[in-house]
Amino acid sequence: MDEILNCMQCGFCLPACPTYRQTGKESASPRGRIALMKGAATERLQIDEEFEHNMYLCLGCRACETACPAGVPYGSLVETARDVVETRKKQKGDTSLLRDLIFHEVFPHPERLELMGSLLWMAQAAGLQALAQKTGLIKIMPRQAAEMATAVQTIASPWQRMKREPVMEPEREAAGLKIGLFTGCVMDMMFYETNQATARALTKAGCQVVFAKEQACCGALHAHAGEQSGAVELAKRNIEAFERAGVDFVVNNAGGCGAALKEYHHWFHDDPVWKERAMRFVGRVRDANELLAELPPLSFSKELNVRVTYQDSCHLAHGQGVRNQPRQLLKSIPGVEFVEMRGADTCCGSAGIYNITNFDMSMQILDDKMVDVENTKATLIVTSNPGCLLQMKKGIQRAGMTGQMEAVHIMDLIERAL
C-alpha cells in the first residue's frame, strides 16, 4: 500500500505507456492500473475478470518507471497484482491445464526444454516447418502461434549442443575474471549459437567462461504471470548454482532475464537469509553489453560496412538502465554506420509471451514501431533480447521488408566482426 500511495496520479506515465497510446483509456495506463490496485487493496473493487484484463493488458515494459518523478516501482506492483489474481483463481479451482503445464511442468525443467528444442530442430530439419507454411497447414495452429512461428529461426542441432565445453579459456591476456554465463531457458533452446557467441566474445576479452550446472530459467515469466512462488524457487536454484561455480560475475545476454536476475533480492521480503544471499548474487549480475563495455576493447578483424539501428530491450533500458553500452559496442565495430531510431526505447510489443496472449495489441504496437524502423533506412536492426529479436523479425515480415533488412542479436553481430 505504501508503494501504491507513492503514485501522485500526475500522469507523466501516460505518454510513455504503449497500451494507453493505443487505446486512450485511463484503465490501460499505469496510473489507472494503480488506481484499480488501490481499489482492490482497500476492498472497494472486486478482483474480477475486468480487473484481471486490465492487469494483463499491461506489457510490463516499465517505460512508466523511467518517466515517473516519484520512483514508483510499477513493475513489482503489477507482478503483485497478477499474483493476487492467480492466487484467487487457484482458491476457486479456476486453473488452466495449459498454464499449469507451461509453468510447472516445462519451464522449471531445463532437460524438458532441451528436449523441446531437439524436437523443434527435427521438425525443421525434416522440412516440416517450411512445408506447413507452404501448404497452409500451419493455419491449424492458434492464430497467434502460427503467426509467430514464421519468425522462428533455425534451431541448433543436438550434436552442436553436445560440443559445448563446460569451461572456455581466455583467448588473450587474461582479465583475471571468471564469468558464469547465464544461458536462460528460451535463450538456450532457440538461440544457442547466440549464447556461444557471447561466451566467445568474453573469452576474446580475456575472461574465463563457465557454464554453471543446474542453473534454470530466471523466473521472469513466472513473476510476470502471477506465479511468484514458482519464480522464487527458480531464483533459489540459480543462486545456489552460481554460488557453487564460484564466479566473479554472472553474465547474461537477454534484457528480460537480466532484469529479473538483478531484482532477486526483492523476491525474498520475508526471508532474511535468502535475501542476503540474493543481494550477493545480484551484486555479481551484469548484462553482456555492460561488462564488455567495461573491459579492454575487442580486437575486430572484419569490416562489416552496414547501416545499423538499435531497438532497446525494455527491461535492459528501463529495468536495468543499460542504454549507452550497446550503442558504444555497435559504434566500435569497423564499418558500422550507426543511426539512432526515433523512440528506440519504446516497446516493440513482444513483452515475454505478450505477442501470444495479447496478439492484436502486440501487432498494433509492432506496426507503429516498424514505421520508425523504416525511417532509419538501416539494413540491420539490432536487439539485446530474444523476445525482441523474434518480434522484430516478425515486424520485418509484416512491413514487407524481407530481404531488405535483417534483425540480429548484438552478440551475433559482434561475432561476425570478430
Side-chain angles (χ1 to χ4, degrees), residues 72-92:
V72 175
Y74 176 81
S76 65
L77 286 176
V78 78
E79 285 177 4
T80 303
R82 291 174 180 176
D83 188 45
V84 170
V85 167
E86 298 306 325
T87 299
R88 292 288 180 92
K89 288 167 75 173
K90 287 171 186 174
Q91 288 170 350
K92 294 178 181 178

Side-chain angles (χ1 to χ4, degrees), residues 119-352:
L119 292 172
L120 184 53
W121 171 82
M122 287 171 63
Q124 289 179 334
L128 298 181
Q129 184 182 18
L131 181 65
Q133 291 176 19
K134 190 177 291 185
T135 61
L137 279 174
I138 198 168
K139 292 179 182 177
I140 66 173
M141 296 172 65
R143 174 172 165 246
Q144 307 97 309
E147 287 275 358
M148 294 312 300
T150 63
V152 174
Q153 64 187 49
T154 304
I155 305 296
S157 73
W159 296 277
Q160 284 175 282
R161 296 169 185 274
M162 286 170 62
K163 292 178 184 176
R164 174 180 278 168
E165 297 290 338
V167 179
M168 294 173 64
E169 299 297 340
E171 292 188 22
R172 72 178 195 193
E173 185 179 348
L177 295 177
K178 183 179 181 181
I179 305 299
L181 189 70
F182 182 78
T183 54
C185 50
V186 173
M187 193 72 209
D188 213 41
M189 178 178 75
M190 299 183 69
F191 301 97
Y192 171 86
E193 281 302 326
T194 304
N195 275 344
Q196 294 302 103
T198 306
R200 285 190 288 268
L202 288 165
T203 62
K204 288 179 184 294
C207 302
Q208 182 191 59
V209 177
V210 301
F211 294 89
K213 290 181 179 179
E214 297 173 16
Q215 60 173 297
C217 170
C218 66
L221 288 175
H222 286 72
H224 300 333
E227 296 283 344
Q228 193 62 37
S229 60
V232 166
E233 289 307 310
L234 289 167
K236 288 180 179 179
R237 285 168 60 183
N238 285 320
I239 291 168
E240 288 179 330
F242 286 99
E243 282 177 346
R244 284 193 294 269
V247 297
D248 298 303
F249 293 106
V250 179
V251 174
N252 73 94
N253 54 20
C257 294
L261 297 174
K262 287 182 177 179
E263 293 174 354
Y264 272 2
H265 54 306
H266 294 308
W267 295 3
F268 295 99
H269 291 297
D270 303 319
D271 191 332
V273 174
W274 271 103
K275 184 165 185 174
E276 186 177 341
R277 291 175 72 177
M279 288 178 72
R280 288 197 297 270
F281 174 86
V282 167
R284 293 196 292 268
V285 176
R286 298 289 186 279
D287 181 78
N289 293 286
E290 200 175 7
L291 186 62
L292 285 171
E294 293 174 7
L295 294 171
L298 292 165
S299 299
F300 295 104
S301 59
K302 227 176 180 182
E303 196 164 308
L304 298 185
N305 298 317
V306 287
R307 185 176 173 92
V308 171
T309 193
Y310 177 71
Q311 164 65 23
D312 283 287
S313 155
C314 292
H315 283 89
L316 188 58
H318 302 299
Q320 301 181 58
V322 176
R323 296 171 179 268
N324 294 328
Q325 296 93 325
R327 291 167 169 83
Q328 179 184 329
L329 286 171
L330 288 171
K331 291 173 183 177
S332 72
I333 299 174
V336 161
E337 178 192 357
F338 180 78
V339 55
E340 189 67 48
M341 185 202 316
R342 185 175 74 89
D345 65 349
T346 59
C347 189
C348 65
S350 171

Side-chain angles (χ1 to χ4, degrees), residues 5 42 65 75 80 95 104 115 125 219 237 257 286 329 338 388-389 401:
L5 292 175
T42 55
E65 291 188 14
T80 303
T95 57
H104 302 297
L115 176 61
R237 285 168 60 183
C257 294
R286 298 289 186 279
L329 286 171
F338 180 78
C388 300
L389 181 56
M401 298 174 66

Side-chain angles (χ1 to χ4, degrees), residues 12 69 75 80 84 96 136 142 179 192 323 348 365-366 371 397-398 409 415:
F12 274 80
T80 303
V84 170
S96 159
I179 305 299
Y192 171 86
R323 296 171 179 268
C348 65
I365 293 167
L366 175 60
V371 174
Q397 291 175 1
R398 287 175 67 88
H409 193 287
E415 170 94 337

